[in-house]
Amino acid sequence: WQTISKALGATGIGSGDTVYIGSGTYREQITVNMTSATAETFVVGDVLGVNTGDEPGEVRITNFLTSDITAPTDQHLLIVNGRDYLTIKNLTFVAVFVTTGYMVVNAFASSSTNITIQDCSFLLSYVDGAASTNVMYFNIAANTNANILIERCGFVMNGGLNCVYVRLNTS
């Protein structure tokens, strides 16, 4: 597959699979649309090139859709609404948000459970007016065990951003 969106789409990987992403810059919005996993499913940046055969290097996902200097597009980078048993490893997310309300990892519309994010980097900035932006947003349904683990991740961002925002829906 040529895009991460294809690999994680309805006709991509399935429950319990592992997808390795080769080094490079991916200029896309990724919506995880695969059938919700019942077994742990892995999305792994292959920074050493061991599994993909690519040159070692960073696996970068960005909202700069044209180049790293052209104006960024306001969009979520990774949408995981209603997806479960998903582990994301070794990815670098780079974004600049101009408008408020956009997130890097977004599970706003419905609960996602058993989400693990490991060894990822988040480099975020916002332009005046987008100060209420979150790096990650999880909307958790009432009486749900969310089981969200964020481990060994780095966050670099300018003031006004929230790293992880968890909304407990008690209604």
Side-chain angles (χ1 to χ4, degrees):
W1 297 307
Q2 292 183 4
T3 65
I4 301 170
S5 296
K6 173 66 175 171
L8 300 180
T11 59
I13 67 171
S15 179
D17 286 349
T18 298
V19 63
Y20 293 99
I21 303 167
S23 62
T25 300
Y26 296 84
R27 301 177 189 284
E28 60 182 300
Q29 179 182 55
I30 302 161
T31 301
V32 180
N33 276 331
M34 61 184 213
T35 303
S36 195
T38 55
E40 193 67 24
T41 303
F42 296 88
V43 178
V44 181
D46 189 15
V47 296
L48 299 178
V50 172
N51 296 289
T52 60
D54 292 340
E55 289 292 320
E58 179 181 60
V59 179
R60 177 186 293 195
I61 300 167
T62 182
N63 69 335
F64 285 86
L65 300 184
T66 306
S67 70
D68 289 339
I69 58 172
T70 304
T73 301
D74 273 340
Q75 64 182 23
H76 308 298
L77 293 184
L78 180 63
I79 301 169
V80 295
N81 290 331
R83 298 298 169 249
D84 303 314
Y85 299 100
L86 187 62
T87 294
I88 299 161
K89 297 176 74 170
N90 299 334
L91 301 178
T92 299
F93 296 91
V94 178
V96 172
F97 295 117
V98 178
T99 307
T100 192
Y102 291 95
M103 278 67 79
V104 174
V105 178
N106 182 4
F108 179 78
S110 60
S111 285
S112 294
T113 62
N114 301 293
I115 302 292
T116 300
I117 300 173
Q118 294 176 321
D119 303 312
C120 291
S121 299
F122 298 88
L123 305 147
L124 284 295
S125 185
Y126 72 92
V127 177
D128 291 339
S132 64
T133 298
N134 304 297
V135 177
M136 296 181 210
Y137 187 107
F138 295 98
N139 184 25
I140 307 303
N143 303 312
T144 300
N145 291 325
N147 298 322
I148 297 169
L149 174 63
I150 300 165
E151 187 172 54
R152 296 183 309 271
C153 292
F155 297 86
V156 176
M157 55 195 163
N158 62 341
L161 296 170
N162 298 310
C163 281
V164 179
Y165 184 87
V166 178
R167 178 176 182 257
L168 301 175
N169 187 347
T170 57
S171 61

